[in-house]
Structure formats: C-alpha cells, structure tokens
C-alpha cells in the first residue's frame, strides 16, 4: 500500500493527478470492504491512467435534479472489475471511485437515507420501523443495487417493499403513496447512456426529495466514509416484501382516471408502434393501450430488457435517432403513430401522421402544449372548471418550458406557476396543494377517487390541471408525484382520439394553436464536457455568464438578466425559488434564453426561445422567420461560449 501511495503522491506533484483525487482515493480505500477496489486503483496507477483516476475520484457524488447519478462502467475497465466477463459483456463489478455509482456509494446513500427517516420518525413521536419502497429499471447493476438496498434496509431495522422485476419510476411513486411508505428509491439513470446508473430518492408524499430533506439526507451520507455497518439483531430487523402484478393492476386502474372523455376512444381503433427502448415501459404501456382499443405493434429488437441498450446510441426519446427503428416499422405497416418511452418510463416521445401523411416527430414542448390545451379545454367544456372555481386551477411548468403553455392557460383564465428544472419541484407544489386541504378532508386522501380529490382541491386548495417539462416529461393527475410516461401515453391516446373525431391530424391541432397564439419555437441544446476536466470547464463557463453576462447577442440588446444563483426570485405564488446555477436572459426583440449546468449529465445546457405574432397571414413564413431567428441566436451563443472557454483556458495557463 505504501508503494501505491508513493506513486499517487508523485503523480500529484507532477500535475498528473488532482489533489482531490488523491484524497478521495485514500478515503475509498480506507472505507470500502471490497478488496477489488485496491486492485483496480493499483492497476490504473501502474498503467498511468491518470485521466481515468481523476474522472473517478475528482469528487463525491451528490444529489442533483435527479438524485445521485454516475458511471457504473469506467472508460477504462480494470481486470478486477471485468472479472470473468468478456470484453463485450457487462463487467462483474461496477467501477470503483468516489464519483462513480457503485456499492460503496450506494451503501452510503441508503444508510444516510435510513438514518434521516429514523430521526424524523423519532422527532414526530413515532417508534415504528421506517418503510421503504424500492424499484429498479433494466440498467446494468440496477437489479443488484435494488436487492442490496433491500438487504441494508432489513438489516438496519426497516421494512422494504421491493418490486419483483423492473418497473417504471412513476409506478414507484404511485406504490409509495398507496402503501403509505416513508421513503422510496428507484435505481435508474433515466435516459442517460448505458454506462450510467443512479439512486433516485423519494419522500413520503411520493415526490423526489427536496430541501430540507435533500440536504438532511446528504449531511448524513457525507458523514459516512465507510461502507461498514453492524446489522441489528434478528429480532430487530425489518422484512423485505415483494411487489408484483397486484400493484401493477392498482396502478393501471388509476391511470385510466387520466381519461377525461373515455367515450372518445370507443370505435376509433388506431395502429400504434410502441418501443420501450429496452426499458420498463412494456409492463404497463402495452396492456394499457390494448385495453384502450389500440392495435399495438412493438419493435421486437427493442423489447428485450437489456441495460446495454444495444439498438440505440442513447435510450432517450428526446433524440430522434432513438425512435428511428420504431418509425421505420411504422412506415412499413402504415401505423398511425409512434410512441417511445425511456428506460424508466418517465418520459414519452411521439411521432404522428401530418397532413401530408408523413410521420412527424413532436418536441417535448409541443406534446406538453397539446396535452395541456386539450385537458384545460375539456375541463372547461365539461363544467369541471367554472367561473366560480377557475382561480383555483393551475398549470405548472418549468422556467425553460415553452411560453405557449402559459398563453393557452391564461387564455382560459387558468393560473400558471413556473418552477426550476426537475420534476421534484412540481411534486413539491402538489404536496403543498394537498396539505392546504382541511385536515379532516385529507385524512384518507390517497384512497379517494380522482373525481373526489379534484372537487376537494377546486373547493379548498389548488387544482393541478397539468404539469410538464420540455424534456418530454408530463403529468396530468396528482396520484403520482413525478413525470409519468405511462400516464402520458393514456393522455396522448385521448388527444389522438379527439383529433380523429374532429377529422384532423394531431399536427392540425398544433397549427390551430399557432394561428391563435402565434408560432412558438424552442431549441434545446448543449455543450458536452466530460470527466474531471469537463466539470471544471462547466463550472467556469457558468460562473463566467454569472459574473459577465452578455450585453447583446446576435445584434439584439439584452434587456433583462435573471441570475438564479445570486438574486432572490419568487414564483407566481410568492414562494422563494431555491438558489441554482441558472441564467435567464431576455432580448429586446422578444427572443430569450436560459443557461444552466445539468444536474445529472456532463453538459451545460442552453434553452432558446422565439415566437411570432398571433393570426399570421402566412403561418409557414412566420414559422421560418422565428426558427431562423432562434438558429442565429444559437450560432451567436456558440461563438460566445468558445470565446469564454478560451479565456478560461488562458487564465488557467497563466495561473498554472
């Protein structure tokens, strides 16, 4: 060990290894019970894989907008991690590191979560065991991670309900609420590349953890530097229960409540191609669509629940290429639409036939706007939302989601609330609205039917009509407290049936909104900067925008800058927005943009917005003009970003 430490010290002195990496290597090797960790580090040191070591050890994992995520498979796979597996196979052991997703970090995360829940129960005067619900998707190591969490829960005196096989993230949220559990975990990295996995934590309301709980959990996690713990005596341990078809059936029954006009689907059969992109969606989506009367054809090559996601570069329905095989199949069999969900089935992407008969991909902003418009319109037409209760109806969206949704909602007299990116903030609002009900009215809230809870919210609190993110995440009810790909499929099926009833394409409905409110166009893009070096560049670039925001972009004067990391910003309900590294910039010509580092991926993200006038004489020309303006904005931003990064590099060179 002394020889290894000497080599690591020499690498730090020569500038090959970060001091933080040296410190974190020492912490891991002193705290892990896995003997292969030292073998893996020694092999990387002997081979001079300093970049790999920096990427694995430059930091410790922390909770972002999606919880804790990191690589489970290194760019360099050591012999100790490979084990008996072949080069093309998944390694036997997840990659060792403090910045990677492995059993060491998983142990700390679940133990910190358990500690926090136990303390909270004690503070509230409850002496019972904490209850967890655990789910996992199809990713590498997800099943092993979930079983390990169940084992730790049991040995530390918690009961755990563990899904018997891969299940979607929204079903975890639903099951947590149904079972009255104290916390939940889903092992997933959502739509990230195959080498990643994550630990997504949920609180007792079924929503992702937010402050003060997120900070409280992390304080406990950060106190743990070893994966060693003493299991309780057998008599004090908890029990691991298994969840299966019964919970699936409860969830599916509730999902049907997303339908506002179920009669629309009667006698309107449609042929749909569906792909779960090797993920969990097939458990619910396929039987649900068939139950609703659709002819469903799946992409056979993508039906396999395979964490390598072998048929796609990225299992993300936001990327057109991910739905390529489904679109090709739909063309061959003349299907009416294509639907795809990501591995943990919280996101949904679609392609629909347009007026020319071609399959057209819709953006997340377009899908969300159509669903929001249809649901608001239908609630009003059915007399559920009326003049007397309209002020209590609310649409929730993120700051970086299209302003067209705001225009639609306000046209109908519906309130709009903007939140930070991360569906946990929408879930936090739903918790607020539930807790605003009189105590006697919400005593058995979770057992009540949707119609009853809706009436309660419209009378006493706020009624959530729809929520969404531009990144293909939507929610139309509050019995789930996270974006729901399964529920989104149900809502989209009803929207498509409505279009058929009207003798229109779904794209015709969208053009109708553009003519009424103006053409809105968004471009969501990013710069990828991976590893330890990339993290430094992302932080530096974000800091540069904060300290030196542009005064003009693409010839347009900057008229407003909102720096969410520095300013006190309140939402439409007067709630203080948590500080975060996001900038929002408005230009004099009406265009605007947002810049923020991703909380879950090695990217700095750019969100660009443009819009045209309502009732355009020529919609096609209006679309072209707005899209060209947004594209010019992106070209200008790329040039500016390159200049800023070059400046940062020169500063590093001068100080180095």
């Amino acid at each position: 060990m002394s020889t290894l430490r000497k080599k690591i010290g020499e690498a730090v002195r020569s500038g090959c290894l970060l001091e933080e990496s040296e410190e974190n290597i020492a912490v891991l090797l002193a705290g892990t019970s896995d003997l292969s960790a030292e073998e893996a580090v020694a092999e990387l040191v002997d081979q001079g894989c300093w970049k790999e070591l920096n990427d694995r050890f430059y930091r410790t994992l922390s909770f972002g907008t999606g919880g804790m995520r990191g690589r489970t498979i290194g760019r360099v796979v050591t012999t100790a991690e490979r084990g008996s597996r072949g080069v093309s196979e998944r390694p036997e052991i997840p990659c060792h590191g403090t910045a990677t997703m492995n059993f060491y970090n998983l142990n700390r995360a679940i133990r910190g979560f358990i500690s926090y829940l136990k303390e909270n129960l004690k503070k509230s005067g409850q002496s019972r065991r904490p209850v967890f619900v655990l789910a996992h998707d199809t990713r590498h190591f997800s099943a092993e991670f979930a079983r390990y969490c169940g084992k730790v829960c049991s040995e530390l005196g918690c009961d755990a309900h563990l899904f018997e096989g891969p299940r979607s993230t929204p079903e975890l949220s639903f099951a947590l609420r149904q079972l009255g559990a104290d916390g939940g975990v889903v092992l997933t990295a959502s739509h990230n590349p195959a080498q990643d996995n994550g630990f997504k934590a949920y609180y007792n309301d079924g929503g992702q953890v937010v402050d003060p709980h997120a900070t409280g959990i992390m304080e406990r996690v950060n106190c743990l530097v070893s994966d060693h713990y003493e299991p309780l005596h057998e008599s004090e341990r908890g029990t691991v229960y298994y969840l299966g078809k019964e919970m699936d059936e409860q969830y599916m029954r509730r999902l049907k409540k997303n339908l506002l006009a179920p009669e629309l689907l009667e006698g309107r059969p449609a042929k749909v191609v569906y792909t779960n992109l090797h993920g969990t969606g097939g458990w619910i989506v396929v039987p649900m669509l068939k139950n609703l009367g659709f002819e469903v054809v799946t992409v056979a090559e993508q039906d396999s629940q395979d964490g390598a996601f072998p048929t796609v570069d990225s299992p993300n329905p936001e990327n057109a290429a991910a739905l390529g095989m489904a679109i090709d199949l739909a063309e061959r069999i003349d299907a009416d639409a294509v639907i795809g969900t990501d591995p943990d089935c919280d996101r949904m992407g679609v392609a629909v036939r347009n007026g020319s008969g071609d399959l057209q991909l819709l953006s997340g902003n377009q899908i969300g706007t159509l669903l929001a418009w249809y649901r608001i319109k239908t609630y009003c037409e059915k007399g559920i939302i009326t003049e007397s209760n309209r002020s209590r109806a609310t649409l929730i969206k993120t700051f970086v989601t299209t302003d067209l949704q705001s225009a639609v909602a306000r046209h109908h007299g519906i309130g709009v609330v903007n939140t930070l990116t991360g569906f946990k903030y929408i879930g936090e609002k739903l918790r607020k609205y539930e807790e605003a009900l009189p105590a006697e009215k919400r005593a058995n809230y979770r057992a009540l039917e949707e119609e009853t809870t809706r009436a309660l919210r419209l009378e006493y609190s706020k009624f959530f009509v729809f929520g969404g993110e531009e990144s293909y995440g939507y929610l139309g009810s509050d019995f789930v407290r996270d974006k729901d790909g399964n529920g989104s499929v149900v809502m989209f099926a009803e929207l498509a049936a409505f279009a058929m009833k009207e003798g229109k394409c779904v794209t015709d409905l969208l053009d109708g909104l553009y003519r009424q409110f103006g053409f809105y166009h968004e471009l969501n893009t990013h710069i990828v900067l991976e590893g330890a070096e990339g993290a430094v560049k992302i932080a530096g670039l974000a800091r540069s925008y904060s300290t030196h925001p542009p005064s003009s972009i693409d010839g347009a004067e900057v008229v407003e800058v909102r720096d969410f990391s520095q300013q006190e910003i309140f939402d439409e309900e007067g709630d203080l927005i948590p500080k975060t590294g996001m900038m929002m910039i408005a230009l004099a010509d009406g265009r605007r943009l947002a810049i923020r580092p991703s909380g879950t991926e090695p990217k700095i993200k750019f969100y660009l917005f443009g819009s045209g006038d309502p009732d355009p004489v020529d919609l096609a020309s209006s679309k072209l003009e707005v899209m060209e303006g947004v594209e010019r904005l992106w070209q200008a931003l790329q040039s500016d970003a390159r200049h800023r990064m070059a400046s940062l590099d020169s500063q590093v060179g001068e100080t180095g």
Side-chain angles (χ1 to χ4, degrees), residues 146-168:
R147 289 194 293 270
Y148 182 81
C149 285
K151 172 179 176 291
V152 175
C153 283
S154 171
E155 291 181 344
L156 293 181
C158 302
D159 289 336
H161 296 266
L162 173 64
F163 277 97
E164 61 186 7
R167 291 297 192 279
S168 67

Side-chain angles (χ1 to χ4, degrees), residues 352-566:
V352 294
R353 296 284 177 190
N354 60 25
S356 301
D358 300 321
L359 281 168
Q360 177 179 328
L361 283 164
L362 299 182
S363 73
N365 279 313
Q366 291 171 330
I367 297 167
T369 298
L370 284 165
L371 293 176
W373 164 77
Y374 172 76
R375 295 183 76 77
I376 292 171
K377 175 188 76 72
T378 306
Y379 278 130
C380 292
E381 289 174 352
K382 286 183 168 289
I384 294 169
I385 294 177
T386 64
E387 287 301 322
S388 63
N389 64 25
R390 196 180 303 273
S391 63
R392 293 190 181 276
T394 303
L395 178 142
I396 309 177
K397 58 182 278 296
T398 65
F399 285 103
V400 296
T401 297
T402 178
D403 290 329
L404 180 53
Q405 290 182 18
S406 299
V408 169
R410 287 170 179 148
H411 172 77
H412 289 88
I414 303 299
V416 178
V417 177
N418 284 280
T419 70
L420 292 178
T421 300
F423 226 89
K424 63 184 180 181
Y425 297 112
I426 296 178
E428 185 178 26
K429 286 290 186 182
L430 299 186
R431 179 175 189 142
K432 172 186 170 182
Y433 300 158
E434 180 180 346
E435 291 179 345
L437 296 171
E440 69 276 10
K441 300 289 185 181
R442 58 181 166 88
N444 62 337
Y445 185 87
R446 300 180 189 191
L448 300 176
E449 290 296 322
E450 189 70 10
E451 296 82 359
T452 305
T453 65
R454 185 166 60 210
L456 286 172
R457 286 172 280 158
L458 280 168
E459 183 176 358
Y460 296 104
S461 178
K462 286 289 184 72
F463 170 49
F464 168 74
V465 296
F466 183 78
E469 294 183 315
E470 89 318 317
S471 54
Y472 292 67
Y474 330 98
L475 184 65
S477 56
D478 82 335
F479 57 81
V480 168
R481 296 294 170 88
D482 204 347
K483 52 186 175 286
D484 187 351
N486 301 300
S488 299
V489 169
V490 173
M491 291 188 291
F492 184 77
E494 183 175 354
L495 173 75
F498 170 77
M500 292 172 68
K501 171 181 171 291
E502 297 292 307
K504 296 179 179 180
C505 303
V506 170
T507 53
D508 294 333
L509 301 179
L510 191 59
D511 280 345
L513 295 179
Y514 290 150
R515 289 189 177 91
Q516 182 177 1
F517 300 104
F519 177 65
Y520 285 71
H521 179 63
E522 299 80 29
L523 176 62
N524 303 328
T525 186
H526 56 261
I527 296 173
V528 176
L529 297 163
E530 295 187 315
E533 293 178 8
V536 172
K537 288 181 178 179
I538 289 172
L541 191 53
R543 188 167 55 251
S544 168
Y545 284 115
S546 179
T547 56
H548 297 92
S551 58
S552 67
I553 309 175
D554 187 35
E557 181 187 358
V558 171
V559 294
E560 183 186 28
V561 175
R562 286 197 288 174
D563 186 342
F564 285 70
S565 69
Q566 302 296 324

Side-chain angles (χ1 to χ4, degrees), residues 199-216:
F199 177 99
K200 207 170 182 179
Y202 290 77
Y203 207 61
N204 58 16
D205 62 327
Q208 293 179 55
V209 292
V210 294
D211 279 335
H213 307 305
T215 298

Side-chain angles (χ1 to χ4, degrees), residues 51 65 82 168 182 187 281 306 329 333 347 362 389 393 397 451 459 526 547 574 604:
K51 185 179 186 304
T65 57
R82 176 76 61 197
S168 67
D182 302 293
L187 285 307
D306 186 343
L329 175 58
I333 66 173
R347 285 173 165 83
L362 299 182
N389 64 25
K397 58 182 278 296
E451 296 82 359
E459 183 176 358
H526 56 261
T547 56
I604 185 164

